[in-house]
Amino acid sequence: MSCIYCINFIKLKNYRILYNNSLNETSTAIRTLAGLPNNKRGLRKLQTILHTIQSLWSSLSLPFIPQPTSPFITEQRLLSDFHRLEDVMETPSGVFKGILDRFQGITVESEHEYNATDDFPEKLKRSLDHWQRKQNRAIWFKVSEKHSNWIPALTKNGFQFHHARDGYLTLVRWLPENEYKNLPPCAHTMLGVGGLVVNKEREEILVVSDRYALIPNSWKLPGGFIEPKENLVESGIREVHEETGIETEYETMISIRHSHGGLFDTSDLYFVMALTPKNFNIKRDEREISKAKWMPFEEYLIIQMFMNKSSFSKIYLDYQKCGLCFVLKKAKHQILKKEYCLYFMKFKSKKSDEKKPVKKNTKRL
């Protein structure tokens, strides 16, 4: 394949893709925009760039070479071609239309394809024959609750339940007979957060007692499950406010606890973060919380030791002692354009004059 076509998909400054009509002009333009010197060293770097582009192109398995209609292709066009989430082309009559993914899988959604007048079993058979001829791999059916009459025919034709969400069920069938069944697992881990809210002036920790706790009248950190599409810190701040009425801001991540055999036989990830309170008057959620109070740091440490629990508060004190914290940085993926949260270790400035909790009794505790 000529390098000139691969140049269509080079990502350059200002998130634009350069397109030229000659390889020489393209090479010169890339050198200029990428800051490459016009010598042998620059040529070697240019060759590396071209090789990378060719490898990327091959990995996408694109069956065609898109031709731009203007000198610049927008970044959105690049993302569309990169993900390869396009309507299945040349679908014969009587075959379900779906979405072709980059792994040669097909996703059919009942919301778009349901027709009460169709003979569903017969149409499904024709569709499976067509997809096998096209050498498609995983066939996914996303079935809405109101179209659940599809499910018996799907299971009869080898489809298996994969996952369910509010309002729909997803079934899948792996078509290749001589290829490893390489399907992603359904979501299998619950995420929870706990907020270690510290009143540094009074050396106290915010604790609650659940109304439905396994051990009545026991104390724990406020927290709960992370909602869909909610960030860790947002969840921790929300849970603390809902249960106690205390508004907080993020200070540092403290620890992550990983366990198995949780709710619905899932695994469990529990994130504990230190939060700084903005107010101190407690207004507990009476539906879920039977008691809430500010507890002296020493008392909370003793309770944790007695209950043989992980001492999140002790870990927090150790972080404070050595000036360590986990900083939160929000960023955006350059290709996928999705926002994400990055947590990384950082040492606090020695000039920081923040008051550390439990100064006097840290060693004894």
Side-chain angles (χ1 to χ4, degrees), residues 83-95:
H83 288 296
R84 296 286 293 122
L85 292 177
E86 303 172 357
D87 288 336
V88 177
M89 305 300 292
E90 301 178 358
T91 302
S93 176
V95 171

Side-chain angles (χ1 to χ4, degrees), residues 5 58 68 79 114 139 219 232 240 275 278 283 293 307:
Y5 295 113
S58 299
L79 294 179
Y114 187 84
I139 308 299
W219 295 101
L232 289 174
V240 168
L275 301 172
K278 295 181 179 180
K283 296 180 181 179
K293 70 175 184 177
M307 298 296 294

